[in-house]
């Protein structure tokens, strides 16, 4: 092991006088060059993915603290296969419907300090998790996967999905001052404490867009991680480009109008204060 990082959650470092001496046994090695202390939870939303799970679990690193599989009322043996492949997997049933609902349920069940979102269709390579975690322990709040950053790629997007993703990403960048290269991508990671600042409330495939907008609104530090999206191995995507694209657009517009309302409320408060009115 050639280097270690201090056991710190950004923004929560103890005062120097309160720091405990760092001993080697609190670190778990995550690569030949890096060891970390925060436990990492991996959340996998899965709906009828029994055939794909062997490929997903095969690439997950063994230093992960826990795997939380959120089952979307699968009619195949998704849950049984997950239990066989990863003894100790935490299986939770989602309360409602949709990928967003599943992820929110999964986040609540996580006990790790770092949460990584991984799809169950075989499109995500678990070996990339180390890049996400490295960015977080080096100071980022949110490590956002990107298929279009240098080093990223996709085998799984149709031209219409690429065009839609690009257009929606451009709108988000313009309206919220972000500089994202990708928007609707499910492979991301963040410190669990970020959830207190982004308060998620959606049900479908718009979940990633909502997270991406709210982390920018909350002023969190974002780092993009180049990621390669492989082809879904078995089965078909649950995403419908037009239906889900419109849902994403609705979220963008709603977040935009909430921001305007907030700005005009604080503007009137400043005006009242400058006139000496009590609110
Ligand atoms: N639990 C749960 N998982 C879902 C739901 N919809 C999609 N997923 C999972 O979310 C991941 C991404 O979905 P997928 O259909 O591959 O969409 P795509 O990657 O955008 O083409 C996969 O692991 C799906 O099994 C749902 O309603 N509930
Ligand atoms: Mg997929």
């Amino acid at each position: 092991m050639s280097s270690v990082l201090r056991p710190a959650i950004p923004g929560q470092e103890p005062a120097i006088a309160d720091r405990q001496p760092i001993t080697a046994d609190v670190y778990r090695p995550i690569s030949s060059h890096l060891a970390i202390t925060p436990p990492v939870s991996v959340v996998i939303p899965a709906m009828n993915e029994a055939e794909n799970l062997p490929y997903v679990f095969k690439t997950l690193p063994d230093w992960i603290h826990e795997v939380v599989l959120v089952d979307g009322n699968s009619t195949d043996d998704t849950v049984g296969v997950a239990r066989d492949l990863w003894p100790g997997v935490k299986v939770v049933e989602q309360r409602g419907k949709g990928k967003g609902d599943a992820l929110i349920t999964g986040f609540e069940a996580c006990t790790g300090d770092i949460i990584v979102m991984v799809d169950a269709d075989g499109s995500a390579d678990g070996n990339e998790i180390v890049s996400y975690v490295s960015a977080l322990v080096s100071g980022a709040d949110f490590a956002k996967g990107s298929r279009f950053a240098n080093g990223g790629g996709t085998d799984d997007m149709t031209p219409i999905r690429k065009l839609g993703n690009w257009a929606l990403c451009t709108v988000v960048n313009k309206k919220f001052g972000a500089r994202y290269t990708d928007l609707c991508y499910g492979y991301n990671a963040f410190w669990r404490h970020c959830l207190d600042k982004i308060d998620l409330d959606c049900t479908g495939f718009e979940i990633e867009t909502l997270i991406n907008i709210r982390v920018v609104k909350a002023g969190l530090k974002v780092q993009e991680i180049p990621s390669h999206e492989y082809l879904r191995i078995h089965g078909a995507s649950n995403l419908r480009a037009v239906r889900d694209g419109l849902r994403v657009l609705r979220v963008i517009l709603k977040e935009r109008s909430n921001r305007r309302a907030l700005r005009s409320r604080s503007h009137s408060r400043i005006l009242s204060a400058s006139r000496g009115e009590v609110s």
Side-chain angles (χ1 to χ4, degrees):
M1 198 185 314
S2 62
S3 65
V4 290
L5 292 174
R6 297 195 72 82
I9 298 175
Q12 294 186 8
E13 292 91 347
I16 291 175
D18 298 334
R19 283 189 190 153
Q20 299 298 313
I22 298 170
T23 54
D25 60 340
V26 297
Y27 290 101
R28 57 184 92 198
I30 66 167
S31 77
S32 53
H33 302 292
L34 184 66
I36 62 166
T37 59
V40 175
S41 301
V42 170
V43 177
I44 306 181
M47 191 166 71
N48 297 323
E49 303 284 9
E51 286 185 289
N52 291 320
L53 287 181
Y55 301 92
V56 180
F57 281 98
K58 198 172 64 188
T59 66
L60 292 184
D62 57 7
W63 46 262
I64 284 168
H65 159 65
E66 69 182 354
V67 176
V68 175
L69 182 122
V70 192
D71 176 42
N73 299 306
S74 298
T75 50
D76 68 1
D77 196 22
T78 291
V79 172
V81 170
R83 289 205 165 108
D84 283 348
L85 291 167
W86 199 274
V89 64
K90 196 187 258 186
V91 175
V92 289
E93 287 296 328
Q94 69 179 98
R95 290 177 290 255
K97 278 195 167 136
K99 184 185 182 187
D101 178 82
L103 282 172
I104 293 168
T105 308
F107 297 159
E108 284 168 12
C110 288
T111 60
D113 291 333
I114 286 177
I115 298 177
V116 187
M117 305 154 50
V118 174
D119 282 354
D121 56 356
S123 61
D125 179 0
N127 291 303
E128 290 180 4
I129 291 177
V130 69
S131 312
Y132 288 81
V133 170
S134 300
L136 295 174
V137 295
S138 311
D141 295 307
F142 182 63
K144 179 186 169 302
S146 171
R147 297 162 289 190
F148 303 106
N150 274 340
T154 177
D155 304 331
D156 200 38
M157 274 177 110
T158 58
I160 183 83
R161 278 180 72 164
K162 271 192 189 152
L163 181 68
N165 185 56
W166 172 81
L168 294 163
C169 188
T170 305
V171 176
V172 166
N173 286 344
K174 204 165 157 40
K175 297 290 178 197
F176 298 93
R179 278 187 284 165
Y180 292 142
T181 58
D182 197 352
L183 188 69
C184 308
Y185 187 40
Y187 203 170
N188 305 289
F190 52 86
W191 289 97
R192 188 155 55 109
H193 64 76
C194 295
L195 290 172
D196 301 336
K197 302 198 173 134
I198 59 178
D199 194 22
L200 299 171
D201 51 355
C202 72
T203 55
F205 282 102
E206 66 280 13
I207 180 81
E208 289 98 4
T209 300
L210 185 65
I211 295 176
N212 293 336
I213 293 175
R214 294 223 174 134
V215 295
V216 170
K217 281 171 134 183
L220 296 172
K221 204 164 152 190
V222 181
Q223 184 173 331
E224 283 200 331
I225 308 297
S227 173
H228 193 97
E229 181 186 40
Y230 295 88
L231 267 183
R232 163 183 269 286
I233 299 169
H234 294 283
S237 171
N238 298 283
L239 184 132
R240 299 285 162 270
V242 175
R243 177 199 69 184
D244 294 303
L246 287 173
R247 287 180 74 115
V248 169
L249 185 61
R250 266 200 297 276
V251 159
I252 296 171
L253 297 175
K254 191 163 156 229
E255 290 299 299
R256 183 72 191 150
S257 59
N258 287 351
R259 187 175 147 127
R260 264 204 222 107
L262 211 66
R263 260 212 225 116
S264 81
R265 267 207 300 278
S266 59
H267 185 64
S268 1
R269 261 204 299 276
I270 291 166
L271 274 180
S272 315
S274 68
R275 288 190 200 118
E277 294 164 10
V278 181
S279 60

